[in-house]
Amino acid sequence: MRHPLVPLGALACAAALLATGCSTGSAPAAGQPPAASPAAAAPVAAPKSPAEVGANELGQVPVLMYHQLTDKPASVYDRTPADFRAELERLAREDYVPVTARDFQTGRIDIPAGAHPVVLTFDDSTNSQVRLGADGAPAPDTAVAILAETARKHPAFKPVATFFVNADAFSATGSAKALGWLKDHGYEVANHTDRHENLRSLDRAGAERAISAGQQAIEKALPGTPVTSLALPFGAMPEPAGTAVRGTGYRYDGVYLVGANPSVSPFAKSFTPGAIPRIRSAGPKDEDAEFGSSRWLDKLAAGGGRYVSDGDPATVSFPRAAGNELAPAFAQRARPY
């Protein structure tokens, strides 16, 4: 908004006031106390040092994987809305802040000092993840509704996630409408192939066609939107593996597995953007619970070397003893302590 023009004399006097304390009004009458000076501004807290927050931006990051939310789970990939709500509440209490896969895999992690990044990913574009009502708002107990609910209760918890979609995504709402809503609300729309085919069962040309068709479906719904992340159906890597990263009409900064462990930091030498592991969301007593989210979050909370932010997205802070883990590409951003 343009500010109204201020007379030059007033500007000069304002400068003089700052420099000499001159007044634009008359002096106080004899015997009257001088006007009270404005209260001093509250001191601004100095940013905390990496050592103060125990920053470790070479630590592990949980990339959590969700599929269907349902009151009656029928497979290990299903979770109830109550399960999902409880997991988000736990993440918020433990100072996790969601970031998209797009930002994680490229090292654009902008979260407060002392916080931990978490990547929330959703496969298969089910209606339980995104379903909009007649008013255009998310239906109750859908993933996006619960994310928004959690963010309202915990303002530091960003309602962002990555949705790996197939062709004809979110059928109850309509693909174009649902994908447009996700983009407009800061979510990442990413590729899960058009028909969820097992890429390892296809030859190179077939795998490339399946990936490219999924890319084209998103580009048709969201013209001009970059699509830079891919999740492999069934976690099956095509042969050769490079087909997942690059082919006719696509190139990905990150390719995601079904994996069963946290990812290393994107700043670490051992980070492999073409094969990023994920953790299936699971309760502490579910099938294969030792590989699920509840158990892994327990381990990370107990001192399992999780990523701790220094609060500055332009630097990479870590204990000096971990310096040999840093990828050379980030040497100029390194802030060991």
Side-chain angles (χ1 to χ4, degrees):
M1 175 179 178
R2 185 184 298 274
H3 292 286
L5 292 175
V6 180
L8 291 176
L11 288 173
C13 187
L17 277 166
L18 290 172
T20 65
C22 72
S23 169
T24 57
S26 57
Q32 291 185 354
S37 5
V44 177
K48 292 184 177 180
S49 70
E52 284 181 278
V53 298
N56 181 14
E57 295 182 320
L58 294 176
Q60 298 182 90
V61 178
V63 181
L64 304 185
M65 178 179 66
Y66 303 92
H67 288 75
Q68 176 90 345
L69 300 185
T70 174
D71 288 325
K72 297 180 179 179
S75 87
V76 294
Y77 293 103
D78 294 345
R79 301 229 72 192
T80 69
D83 290 335
F84 182 58
R85 185 176 284 107
E87 186 150 88
L88 295 189
E89 286 284 340
R90 175 180 182 171
L91 292 169
R93 287 195 310 271
E94 295 184 5
D95 296 322
Y96 282 95
V97 178
V99 299
T100 62
R102 176 182 54 224
D103 287 345
F104 167 67
Q105 66 212 16
T106 52
R108 293 193 296 264
I109 301 176
D110 187 2
I111 62 176
H116 320 290
V118 61
V119 187
L120 307 176
T121 68
F122 296 83
D123 289 9
D124 300 351
S125 45
T126 67
N127 293 323
S128 67
Q129 298 167 8
V130 180
R131 187 173 73 259
L132 304 179
D135 60 354
D141 280 348
T142 54
V144 287
I146 296 171
L147 275 161
E149 171 192 314
T150 306
R152 286 192 296 270
K153 292 176 64 178
H154 305 277
F157 191 85
K158 297 179 183 178
V160 299
T162 295
F163 288 83
F164 290 110
V165 303
N166 306 112
D168 303 320
F170 310 115
S171 59
T173 300
S175 183
K177 182 177 180 179
L179 298 188
W181 186 95
L182 287 171
K183 179 185 176 182
D184 291 345
H185 287 80
Y187 293 97
E188 178 187 6
V189 177
N191 192 5
H192 198 38
T193 77
D194 63 335
R195 299 296 170 192
H196 204 277
E197 293 178 271
N198 184 323
L199 299 179
R200 186 168 294 172
S201 70
L202 305 175
D203 62 16
R204 180 173 187 163
E208 188 170 318
R209 279 195 301 270
I211 296 169
S212 181
Q215 177 88 13
Q216 291 169 16
I218 298 171
E219 291 173 346
K220 181 179 179 181
L222 299 174
T225 300
V227 182
T228 60
S229 309
L230 170 73
L232 300 171
F234 312 106
M237 186 70 72
E239 293 289 348
T243 306
V245 176
R246 186 192 298 265
T248 303
Y250 65 86
R251 180 189 173 282
Y252 298 112
D253 294 324
V255 175
Y256 291 79
L257 308 172
V258 169
N261 52 279
S263 173
V264 299
S265 165
F267 307 123
K269 284 179 184 175
S270 56
F271 181 67
T272 305
I276 301 171
R278 294 189 287 170
I279 303 169
R280 177 174 57 84
S281 179
K285 297 182 180 180
D286 288 352
E287 183 178 339
D288 295 327
E290 64 270 32
F291 305 115
S293 57
S294 294
R295 297 280 186 90
W296 270 114
L297 291 174
D298 287 346
K299 293 174 189 176
L300 292 169
R306 64 185 168 183
Y307 185 115
V308 183
S309 173
D310 68 358
D312 184 351
T315 60
V316 181
S317 296
F318 49 87
R320 194 171 297 277
N324 64 346
E325 299 173 21
L326 181 72
F330 300 102
Q332 295 300 314
R333 294 169 57 182
R335 194 181 180 191
Y337 63 92

